[in-house]
Amino acid sequence: METYNLGEYSAILRCDMSRDSSYGEVWLLAYEDRLVKIDADTGAMVEYGYEGIDEIRNEDFINTGQFVIKKEGEYTPFAFYSNSVGRTASRFTMVVNKLKDKTELTEDDFKTFGDDNVCPTCGKPYRDPRRKICPKCMNRRAILVRLMGYLPKYKLSLVFMGICMVATALIGVMRPYVSGKTFYDEVLTEGGKYFGMVVPIVLCLMALEVSRLVVNIIKERIAAKVSANIVFDIKSQIFSAMQRLSMSFFNSQHTGSLMNRVNNDAEEICFTILWRIPELIINSLTLIGTAYVMIMMNPVLSVIVFIPVPFTVYMMKVVFPKFRKVKNASWQKRSKLNSVINDALSGIRVVKAFGKETSEIDRFDKASNELYEANVKEGIRGARTFPVMGYITSLGGLFVWAVGGAQVMNGTGGMTFGTLMTFVGYMGMVLGPIDSIVNSIDWLTETLNCAHRLFEIIDRKSDVVPSPNPVRMEDIEGNISLKNVTFSYEPNKPVLKNINLDIKKGEMIGLVGHSGAGKSTITNIITRLYDIEEGSLTIDGVNIKDIHPDDLHKRIGMVLQETHLFSGTIMENIAFARPDATYEEVVSAAKLANAHDFIMKLPDGYETELGKRNTNLSGGERQRINIARAILLDPRILILDEATASVDTETELQIQQAIETLTKGRTTIAIAHRLSTLKNADRLVVIERGEIAEMGTHKELEELGGIYAGMLGKQKEALKIRGMDDEE
Amino acid sequence: MKNDFKEAANIRYLTSKDIKFYETKGGLLGAALDGEDVGRCDVLRLFPLHKPDSFLSVRRQAQSHRDRATELGIIESLDSFTEEEKALILHELEKRYFVPEIIKVKNAKEEFGHTYWEVETNAGERSFTTFDMSASLVRIDANSVLLIDVDGSRYLIPDLKKADDKAMKMLDIWL
């Protein structure tokens, strides 16, 4: 193997493919003047000087990708990688191109190279980069300890529960002893301590049963109460953690699925803490107690009692999973059948319209048949597994009878009939606890998994961090200034590039551009749903990151395309941002928003409970309530993001009127696809691929004959086709 | 009137009469359409699982950031092309649709909903992770399945009948 002196390189990448269709190990090193490729398997080294190279890029395929050099118009592939390197590959390409063009590198360029995809404990990359768990290093004990952190609040209840648990175990161990040894040897045998006292001993047994019942009821009552409290604690902690998080958390797909599971997870955890763990403790105590008593009485027979244990453990670990698999398979067939039924019924109009009833019936028959077969298989497997298990257990019992019986007859080992009966009683008490202890591994793992998901949310830091010394701004005037602003949701894919925009107070700006151009992103950073990475964003000359969040949100109002109303009354919805508003203020806001009249048509007026029967508001009505909400806030800066996109022309007109009242004297940033909506704007800004392409008044831009003029032309044409004319 | 929509769609089906393929200096696929050089081309499968070598979309690459790739036409069958051309196209397809076949599962372990695989493939050894088996398995036909890992890479199990116990243990209930 060759040894190279690698010197000072700027970036390094490990590619996991040696050719386009085989795995291997190839390293790419980016220097200031050249790119070097070293094949770790053969030791071969190739250098590519940047001179004469037009571009270096990476092209992604299905499973893999390739690095390509473009030189004199010709593309040449020079290295390959699989999807697991893909993310880093595009980052690497960017760095190489910056080196080639002699552009200065920033720390951001190296973001995904570094530590965030590597487990901090063992230094290995995460197997699943979206879920930052290293299964090897996950500290199970730490999670468990942290879970137990929910308990101290309920110390007293738990102490009671503990006492109940010990009592249950104790009574459990005592019962067979009393009904066996004491009853046969002391009561029924001549010369016994309690000879002939049948009734008292039966009463004594009854008392044991009753006390076990009482202790159990007490335990369950405490557990029910504590478990409800703990679920509440966990859920409220998670909910407040989620509210605190920034938008980027909610946008990532992965966390969406995380949140769906929050409810189940919290309950699963609680179930474990309060039912399964106590059960495990009781079982362990019973087992220890039973074993102790048995060994004290007759060590030889004790060993025999435990003979079937390895068999049951084997059954649990090997035979049962197989059975579970069969069960699972039939469960899957059932859900498949359900989805066939669901498909056919919810799509019944389509099925009938295309005359496909017969083929749907066939599909059903097929799924139904599969389920039938799976069920038969399950039945057969079950019929085989359970009797065999029962047989093995009873076989152990026979051993006890045989050996114990012989001992009683011979009088060896101090064996009495009572002792034998006690053993028979204990026999049944040993296997149950062992089963549950063996099973505990499974649920413990599952619970830890749940807990980890929850802690992931609770521990997550918000990307938008409030300033430690925020500036209080009681009065925001509404001058907004963006300087060289660059922003990306995902590394290496800038959505906004070098945006420079000064908006004066009271000005109305219309943002125009194709879908995905970055219009909404501009409003997202002005409202600080996201923080910008490069450049500066100031409001009245103060950096947005330094403004106290309360002041910022009090002074920025938003009307969005999605009209979300909360459950509650119309009054509460309008007063959402200002719960202290007076009745007069709410009514005035509704009036200005053209909402007053339709609200008055509802029987409960402003106190109409939304979401109840007969209170389905139309899209336009909901939107006007949103506008009333924004009017009531009396913001200095107003953002209208496609506020009228989802309503008909008539309603749009009404909303338009409402908006005109709203925008007066406020800095307004409006986004609209229908360009006619923006006719009142002082200036229009055309965004194209994250950059400002054109800026000016409607008239100026129309005369410019650029992108805006093109969009205007297309819309006019479309309206003409629909038989409408935009010019009023 | 029956096939009017086919005309309306106006898809161009290409044969060797319309398009000639050649190897670029960089070893990639280039083409000349109607005698005119269009430079570097991509070939994509319309039905990658069941018709890997027919129904191929031929696309001219985007020339700049603002440009979009354009479809030159669709090849229904490679029969009319020369052996060299076929080899070039097939190599290009193999590269783009590279999917390793799992020969042997050396280790498969499930933990926390993730399954960790260590396998031997026809392209070398590999370890990967799948998450949520029901969403990671694509059934191609009665005997073959695709496994999709957390990075979106695919792995083919060409014959379930020949698959080893370790693989079957993980896959059984999902099939």
Side-chain angles (χ1 to χ4, degrees), chain A residues 84 87 116-117 126-133, chain B residues 150-151:
Chain A
S84 26
R87 260 177 282 264
D116 65 335
N117 285 323
Y126 291 114
R127 309 291 281 272
D128 179 357
R130 281 167 305 171
R131 185 137 185 260
K132 302 199 186 313
I133 302 178
Chain B
V150 289
D151 295 308

Side-chain angles (χ1 to χ4, degrees), chain A residues 32-90:
Chain A
E32 277 178 12
D33 58 336
R34 68 193 191 281
L35 187 66
V36 171
K37 175 176 112 170
I38 300 172
D39 189 322
D41 301 322
T42 62
M45 183 167 108
V46 191
E47 291 201 8
Y48 305 90
Y50 294 142
E51 213 163 306
I53 291 180
D54 306 327
E55 190 197 358
I56 292 165
R57 61 161 136 167
N58 61 305
E59 302 176 341
D60 289 335
F61 302 140
I62 311 291
N63 264 9
T64 55
Q66 64 183 9
F67 284 103
V68 183
I69 286 181
K70 186 181 178 190
K71 200 171 183 178
E72 291 159 11
E74 274 303 325
Y75 294 95
T76 314
F78 67 95
F80 303 89
Y81 54 88
S82 86
N83 283 349
S84 26
V85 181
R87 260 177 282 264
T88 355
S90 49

Side-chain angles (χ1 to χ4, degrees), chain A residues 330-346 360 363-364 367-368 371:
Chain A
S330 74
W331 180 82
Q332 288 208 359
K333 298 288 180 208
R334 187 163 303 127
S335 72
K336 190 178 162 192
L337 180 67
N338 283 338
S339 81
V340 170
I341 296 173
N342 202 13
D343 256 12
L345 292 184
S346 57
E360 283 303 303
R363 223 152 68 91
F364 174 84
S368 180
L371 174 61

Side-chain angles (χ1 to χ4, degrees), chain B residues 11-137:
Chain B
I11 290 172
R12 180 159 187 202
Y13 288 95
L14 303 170
T15 63
S16 58
K17 277 186 210 132
D18 312 295
I19 192 161
K20 295 267 181 279
F21 292 98
Y22 63 89
E23 190 175 349
T24 67
K25 275 183 210 145
L28 296 164
L29 185 70
L33 183 70
D34 301 323
E36 199 177 312
D37 187 19
V38 287
R40 217 186 135 189
C41 280
D42 288 329
V43 213
L44 274 67
R45 288 171 174 156
L46 271 70
F47 309 103
L49 301 182
H50 293 106
K51 295 231 176 276
D53 296 337
S54 52
F55 285 103
L56 307 171
S57 164
V58 183
R59 295 170 169 261
R60 187 183 60 102
Q61 281 212 331
Q63 301 299 306
S64 69
H65 285 303
R66 298 220 160 175
D67 193 21
R68 293 215 172 134
T70 44
E71 184 173 86
L72 302 174
I74 291 173
I75 298 176
E76 257 189 291
S77 155
L78 286 174
D79 290 348
S80 66
F81 294 93
T82 65
E83 288 307 310
E84 291 85 62
E85 284 177 306
K86 269 190 219 169
L88 264 174
I89 293 170
L90 290 178
H91 178 244
E92 194 67 21
L93 285 172
E94 259 162 45
K95 184 164 83 176
R96 177 172 295 272
Y97 293 92
F98 163 74
V99 175
E101 281 178 23
I102 295 179
I103 298 167
K104 192 172 172 243
V105 175
K106 288 171 26 190
N107 204 355
K109 196 175 162 205
E110 200 192 326
E111 207 170 24
F112 292 84
H114 288 60
T115 311
Y116 303 98
W117 301 82
E118 273 169 47
V119 299
E120 209 178 293
T121 73
N122 59 352
E125 299 203 343
R126 184 80 176 159
S127 55
F128 62 92
T129 309
T130 54
F131 176 65
D132 183 4
M133 272 308 231
S134 64
S136 313
L137 264 184

